[in-house]
Amino acid sequence: MTWHNNFAEQQINKDDPNPWLALYLDNSLPMHTAAKRALLQGQNSWSRRLLLPIIRPLARLMIIVVQLLRMVIPSKWSSSKVLHYTIYWGLKHFVKRDANYLILRHFNIGTELLQFIADNAGVNIESTIPSRPKTLEDLKNDTFLIHDLNVYNFIAELNQKLKETGREFEAPEVINYDAITDDEFDIDPGKQGALNVIDLQTAVEAYTPLYALLLSDHDFWRASNSLQLDETFAIYISKLMHDPLAVTLVSNRHPTVPFSTLQAGFRLMLHGLDAEILHGYLREQKRKAHKAVCL
């Protein structure tokens, strides 16, 4: 895939530095370069500057309205199929290619993180469904809902099987990095059309009320709280690696004390960043391990 890199054309202005250029040049976070470029170009876009401040309060107001309506609407009035088709249609026609690239990456990354933990914990997880969408069309297959179910099912089955066998969660003698892709994923985020102008964060905020409307109240609450499980997976990875760094890298904290669903859009952005950073951290460790073997 070829991408236009706005930051490559910019010069550092010491009197008026561009915050997003500074973050692009910064390498303190172990993040895939193309993903960092895509994320920061979206953050530096006019849609985030002008539309997000308008859409965010309206979206949160709509979540409140929907949750009030849920008191009288039957719980069976929901449709994951309509939700996913609406998301697919909006992403294809109105959301930037950079944002769609990050969304497709996210599901592939999530699958690899879970597989990495399972491989190194020595537990065969049967309750999760690997999710590796290659195109936006693949998202129509309940991808978002399956992603949320996977994280809960993974945690439950992993710990149940460890308990049944009387084992502790501990690091193996040799780390298995087979699950971690150290290259670009085989994905196609589609074309950058004239109407594809919405950045990732604005799109996420706009879609959150649709989640509340087209999922049951229980499903929406569960999906929202799953965003805070990043710390849980970071703890697993830290234990496997004998390295506390993974825990310090994540921003979303444990859902034992959950945040309000009104903040789901913002926490979804943090969740995406956390996943990218954890995957980037493991990618770096894989390279170091390979280099050590070659020496």
Side-chain angles (χ1 to χ4, degrees):
M1 290 183 290
T2 58
W3 303 91
H4 180 69
N5 188 345
N6 293 339
F7 297 113
E9 304 168 356
Q10 296 184 23
Q11 299 294 322
I12 299 174
N13 183 345
K14 296 181 180 180
D15 296 322
D16 184 20
N18 182 339
W20 305 114
L21 175 60
L23 289 175
Y24 176 74
L25 296 173
D26 170 59
N27 287 315
S28 60
L29 294 178
M31 192 171 177
H32 184 57
T33 302
K36 181 168 69 170
R37 176 206 57 77
L39 177 62
L40 293 177
Q41 283 191 175
Q43 300 293 64
N44 195 34
S45 66
W46 69 265
S47 69
R48 185 186 180 278
R49 291 195 302 270
L50 300 180
L51 295 182
L52 181 61
I54 299 172
I55 288 178
R56 176 178 281 161
L58 291 176
R60 293 185 177 184
L61 177 60
M62 286 303 300
I63 291 174
I64 295 174
V65 171
V66 169
Q67 291 185 326
L68 290 174
L69 289 174
R70 279 292 176 194
M71 295 180 180
V72 295
I73 297 176
S75 59
K76 64 181 181 180
W77 194 90
S78 61
S79 177
S80 176
K81 182 178 181 180
V82 172
L83 172 65
H84 283 79
Y85 183 84
T86 304
I87 291 175
Y88 155 73
W89 183 82
L91 294 178
K92 180 179 179 180
H93 295 289
F94 300 109
V95 176
K96 287 177 177 289
R97 184 171 182 247
D98 277 346
N100 293 331
Y101 164 73
L102 291 170
I103 291 169
L104 292 174
R105 270 185 63 84
H106 179 72
F107 296 110
N108 285 270
I109 283 173
T111 293
E112 294 198 351
L113 291 177
L114 296 186
Q115 189 61 53
F116 171 83
I117 295 170
D119 288 346
N120 288 284
V123 176
N124 181 31
I125 303 296
E126 301 172 348
S127 59
T128 60
I129 303 173
S131 180
R132 288 189 176 276
K134 293 185 177 182
T135 67
L136 295 178
E137 185 117 8
D138 293 336
L139 298 178
K140 293 190 292 184
N141 300 322
D142 284 344
T143 302
F144 290 86
L145 182 60
I146 290 172
H147 180 68
D148 296 332
L149 295 175
N150 275 347
V151 294
Y152 285 112
N153 288 333
F154 182 91
I155 291 173
E157 185 176 353
L158 171 68
N159 287 278
Q160 184 180 52
K161 286 188 173 180
L162 287 174
K163 184 177 180 180
E164 289 174 350
T165 55
R167 296 172 52 206
E168 297 289 334
F169 189 93
E170 55 188 6
E173 292 185 7
V174 178
I175 296 293
N176 180 351
Y177 292 102
D178 289 348
I180 303 302
T181 297
D182 188 18
D183 201 352
E184 192 59 79
F185 291 114
D186 180 20
I187 55 178
D188 179 8
K191 298 179 180 180
Q192 176 63 42
L195 296 179
N196 294 97
V197 297
I198 306 300
D199 66 281
L200 179 61
Q201 190 165 6
T202 302
V204 164
E205 290 287 352
Y207 274 125
T208 303
L210 277 177
Y211 254 81
L213 178 64
L214 294 174
L215 293 179
S216 68
D217 185 61
H218 174 71
D219 286 346
F220 177 58
W221 179 89
R222 185 187 60 221
S224 177
N225 283 7
S226 73
L227 302 173
Q228 287 179 250
L229 289 169
D230 296 341
E231 184 177 52
T232 302
F233 292 111
I235 291 172
Y236 292 158
I237 291 172
S238 286
K239 287 183 176 181
L240 293 172
M241 303 297 294
H242 283 304
D243 183 4
L245 179 60
V247 177
T248 67
L249 290 173
V250 300
S251 301
N252 273 327
R253 297 305 175 184
H254 206 277
T256 300
V257 181
F259 286 100
S260 164
T261 53
L262 296 180
Q263 298 169 288
F266 177 69
R267 288 190 290 111
L268 181 54
M269 288 296 296
L270 292 180
H271 170 60
L273 179 62
D274 286 347
E276 282 283 359
I277 292 172
L278 288 175
H279 192 268
Y281 165 77
L282 291 175
R283 195 170 57 246
E284 286 189 354
Q285 299 306 309
K286 181 176 183 176
R287 291 174 185 172
K288 290 179 181 178
H290 178 72
K291 186 176 180 181
V293 170
C294 292
L295 293 176

